[in-house]
Amino acid sequence: MSAKTKTKTDTNNDTKKKVLVVDDDDNMRSAVYETIKRMGIHVDTAAHGEEGFEKATKQHYDFIISDMRMPVLDGHGMFRKLRQAGIQTPLCFITAYGTVDSAVECIKEGATDYVLKPFSPEVIEELVRRTFYIAEHQNRMDGSTNETTASSSSGAVFASPEMSMVFGLAKEVAPTSSTILITGESGTGKEVFARYIHQHSLRKDKPFVAVNCAALPETLIESELFGHEKGAFTGAISTKLGKFEIADEGTLLLDEIGEIPMHLQAKLLRVLQEREIDRIGSTKSRKIDVRILATTNRDLLEMIKEGDFREDLYYRLNVIAVELPPLRQRVGDIEPLANHFITKYATVNMKKVKGLDNECLKILQSYEFPGNIRELEHTIERAVILTKDETITKTSLFLHGITLNTMRSTLEVQPLEVNTNKLNEHRHNTNENTDSEPNMGDGTLADAERIMILQTLEKTDGNKTRAAEALGISVRTLRNKLNEYRDKGTSSL
């Protein structure tokens, strides 16, 4: 049996996810192993690329995480051998700055992603969840051509006439090389829309590189965009490719372009005009062939009036303008989006949740969603984690700005008294009957918040990290809240 045939057979028979971690550093390998194991996923390890290759050819893995620089056989060599053997398992590299260029080269050859050292456990957890979701999603989408009410491989989900018009425009402009400026409120799906354009363009088989301009310190933006030569400045221990070079022949997304500082806007304008870049510390210009997409949630014309954005750069970017409407203006998209996120988070969290009831749908469709699709996604993620059955009910649905009284009056549910005794009574009843619905009470928002936090901790078996993720808060905030409850004597946790 060939490696390729074996991989396919194992995939059909094996229902539990498996990850292979390849790293010659014992501490790093152990840390990544423990992080993934805590997610309930089977993990195998290998100390170098040759061992990793041997294991990956003997059994099926759903994901491989590999260091780049290793003895015997490095990550790049292992990746090429796996592809030559017909093994298409998603593979992500963990690497230091010194081997980024090699990792980027692997991505151009088909690797999934790379993560820079050092990184937190949360980065690995999100990487694994995202990879599993993409794989499951792609399997469901194979052979499907209906993108109006379902997801395309880009993650676009819509059913409303408003978004049908927007995506119709996207298909028209995608095959061109024109620069596109995508505007809209935060969380409306601008990056998903940009990926949709790339995947329907003539460059779809070339790199898609996204740069979040708002997330980069001002001192690093120039290096990230244009790269630098070794020794160009203190800390430049090796030559670094910029995002423009990495995206050569593909698409570069400049996310939140309004955050680019003024002194770099002139250099960016020159790149757009001349189609060439200068690395920091280099005297040689390099030609590039990149299609530019830019997004912003800011009013660039107002910024121009205030002197914060160059007018000539604006018109260079605004060749084709597309505005994404907020979610509250396309209510018809809420149900398909909610179902899409239920499938996503049920998959990555290995839950049996399949849908939401009519009361939940009514609440979602009447809510303003100031955070747009991003807020809806986080709401559904929490609900999936907290739901025990196959259907999400109102008791697992928490929305900012909607009090429990408002939700009850909307759904004509009688209010219940909230106090510490009620909480303890509920905790006792929950232990006796795990299928009982939680009592959220009808007291102050502080009461509701406390009960929500304690119930979430119960459902996550006291795991503060998982509880914080479900609640959409940081672990530090959760700990502070628990300390506050202990001080007041309202928590036995």
Side-chain angles (χ1 to χ4, degrees):
M1 181 184 297
S2 68
K4 187 174 183 178
T5 304
K6 179 174 176 60
T7 298
K8 184 176 181 180
T9 302
D10 286 350
T11 302
N12 292 334
N13 295 334
D14 189 2
T15 58
K16 186 171 182 179
K17 300 294 185 183
K18 293 182 179 179
V19 174
L20 176 63
V21 177
V22 187
D23 200 313
D24 63 316
D25 186 317
D26 293 343
N27 292 332
M28 179 64 69
R29 188 171 65 247
S30 177
V32 176
Y33 170 87
E34 291 295 336
T35 297
I36 300 175
K37 184 180 178 182
R38 284 197 299 269
M39 299 173 70
I41 297 169
H42 178 85
V43 192
D44 287 337
T45 62
H48 52 73
E50 192 62 46
E51 183 183 359
F53 174 77
E54 290 177 3
K55 288 191 174 184
T57 54
K58 291 178 180 177
Q59 64 175 302
H60 168 75
Y61 291 100
D62 298 280
F63 190 26
I64 299 174
I65 300 176
S66 174
D67 190 19
M68 278 298 300
R69 186 172 293 172
M70 296 180 290
V72 185
L73 182 66
D74 65 11
H76 197 169
M78 181 189 70
F79 174 73
R80 286 181 168 174
K81 286 187 68 174
L82 288 171
R83 292 302 185 257
Q84 289 168 2
I87 298 173
Q88 301 297 320
T89 304
L91 189 149
C92 173
F93 290 106
I94 51 178
T95 181
Y97 276 103
T99 51
V100 165
D101 291 355
S102 297
V104 170
E105 188 64 29
C106 289
I107 289 175
K108 291 183 177 181
E109 295 174 14
T112 304
D113 205 344
Y114 71 91
V115 175
L116 288 176
K117 300 176 182 177
F119 49 80
S120 66
E122 288 76 17
V123 170
I124 296 298
E125 290 175 0
E126 175 60 25
L127 176 68
V128 172
R129 291 193 185 101
R130 184 173 69 246
T131 302
F132 284 175
Y133 166 67
I134 290 172
E136 293 285 343
H137 177 66
Q138 190 60 54
N139 289 338
R140 292 195 305 272
M141 289 307 301
D142 284 346
S144 173
T145 58
N146 182 6
E147 294 178 353
T148 302
T149 57
S151 304
S152 72
S153 59
S154 65
V157 178
F158 55 94
S160 67
E162 295 87 354
M163 291 306 289
S164 295
M165 290 179 60
V166 170
F167 278 92
L169 173 61
K171 279 193 172 182
E172 290 184 20
V173 302
T176 72
S177 295
S178 297
T179 302
I180 300 177
L181 179 62
I182 306 166
T183 61
E185 294 179 7
S186 179
T188 50
K190 296 187 289 295
E191 182 172 343
V192 170
F193 185 76
R195 290 181 183 274
Y196 182 95
I197 291 173
H198 172 73
Q199 292 177 3
H200 288 79
S201 74
L202 303 179
R203 301 169 182 259
K204 62 183 180 180
D205 295 324
K206 301 298 182 180
F208 177 90
V209 179
V211 183
N212 188 336
C213 302
L216 292 172
E218 187 172 327
T219 54
L220 294 180
I221 291 180
E222 185 173 8
S223 175
E224 284 295 313
L225 290 177
F226 309 116
H228 63 251
E229 297 289 351
K230 180 179 180 180
F233 51 82
T234 302
I237 58 176
S238 63
T239 297
K240 180 182 186 301
L241 295 182
K243 300 300 186 184
F244 275 95
E245 286 186 87
I246 294 173
D248 195 28
E249 298 185 347
T251 303
L252 177 64
L253 170 62
L254 298 175
D255 196 15
E256 298 305 336
I257 188 68
E259 305 302 324
I260 292 281
M262 281 292 288
H263 73 276
L264 287 182
Q265 291 180 23
K267 187 169 183 178
L268 178 59
L269 177 64
R270 177 182 173 276
V271 172
L272 298 181
Q273 290 173 335
E274 306 297 332
R275 297 291 166 173
E276 60 182 27
I277 60 102
D278 297 321
R279 292 180 190 162
I280 300 174
S282 175
T283 58
K284 179 182 178 182
S285 296
R286 291 170 172 79
K287 286 289 184 181
I288 54 166
D289 174 20
V290 176
R291 203 262 183 89
I292 302 295
L293 305 178
T295 72
T296 183
N297 60 13
R298 302 183 65 180
D299 186 338
L300 296 185
L301 290 175
E302 188 63 30
M303 291 182 66
I304 291 171
K305 292 178 182 178
E306 296 175 357
D308 294 327
F309 202 84
R310 291 180 63 108
E311 186 174 11
D312 46 4
L313 176 58
Y314 170 78
Y315 288 111
R316 177 64 64 173
L317 293 168
N318 195 35
V319 177
I320 297 175
V322 181
E323 181 175 4
L324 299 188
L327 188 55
R328 61 184 173 275
Q329 293 179 9
R330 44 186 172 112
V331 177
D333 291 333
I334 290 178
E335 184 173 8
L337 280 167
N339 289 330
H340 169 74
F341 293 133
I342 288 170
T343 302
K344 172 180 177 178
Y345 289 107
T347 299
V348 300
N349 292 293
M350 300 177 186
K351 301 276 287 187
K352 60 182 180 180
V353 184
K354 294 182 179 179
L356 68 168
D357 66 13
N358 290 332
E359 289 181 328
C360 281
L361 180 59
K362 187 185 300 183
I363 293 172
L364 293 175
Q365 290 176 335
S366 64
Y367 182 59
E368 286 288 310
F369 281 106
N372 291 293
I373 298 173
R374 186 179 296 117
E375 183 179 1
L376 173 62
E377 179 174 5
H378 292 167
T379 298
I380 295 298
E381 180 182 8
R382 287 195 296 271
V384 167
I385 293 173
L386 296 176
T387 298
K388 295 180 180 179
D389 301 315
E390 293 186 353
T391 303
I392 296 174
T393 65
K394 65 181 182 294
T395 56
S396 299
L397 198 65
F398 307 121
L399 292 165
H400 297 295
I402 293 186
T403 66
L404 296 167
N405 287 335
T406 302
M407 291 173 63
R408 286 200 175 88
S409 63
T410 301
L411 300 173
E412 298 181 355
V413 177
Q414 291 300 318
L416 301 171
E417 183 181 358
V418 171
N419 54 42
T420 305
N421 292 332
K422 284 286 186 180
L423 173 61
N424 292 331
E425 178 184 345
H426 165 69
R427 290 169 63 105
H428 176 72
N429 291 338
T430 301
N431 291 332
E432 292 181 349
N433 180 9
T434 57
D435 294 328
S436 63
E437 289 189 349
N439 168 17
M440 290 304 297
D442 187 46
T444 67
L445 286 176
D447 289 333
E449 177 188 72
R450 184 182 68 254
I451 294 174
M452 185 191 306
I453 288 174
L454 297 180
Q455 288 176 353
T456 304
L457 278 166
E458 285 181 2
K459 293 181 179 182
T460 59
D461 296 323
N463 187 308
K464 294 184 178 63
T465 300
R466 287 173 51 206
E469 289 177 356
L471 293 163
I473 61 177
S474 68
V475 176
R476 176 179 294 179
T477 298
L478 178 58
R479 289 195 183 109
N480 290 340
K481 290 291 183 182
L482 293 175
N483 290 334
E484 177 184 329
Y485 302 154
R486 289 191 186 97
D487 292 342
K488 293 180 179 179
T490 57
S491 169
S492 60
L493 294 174

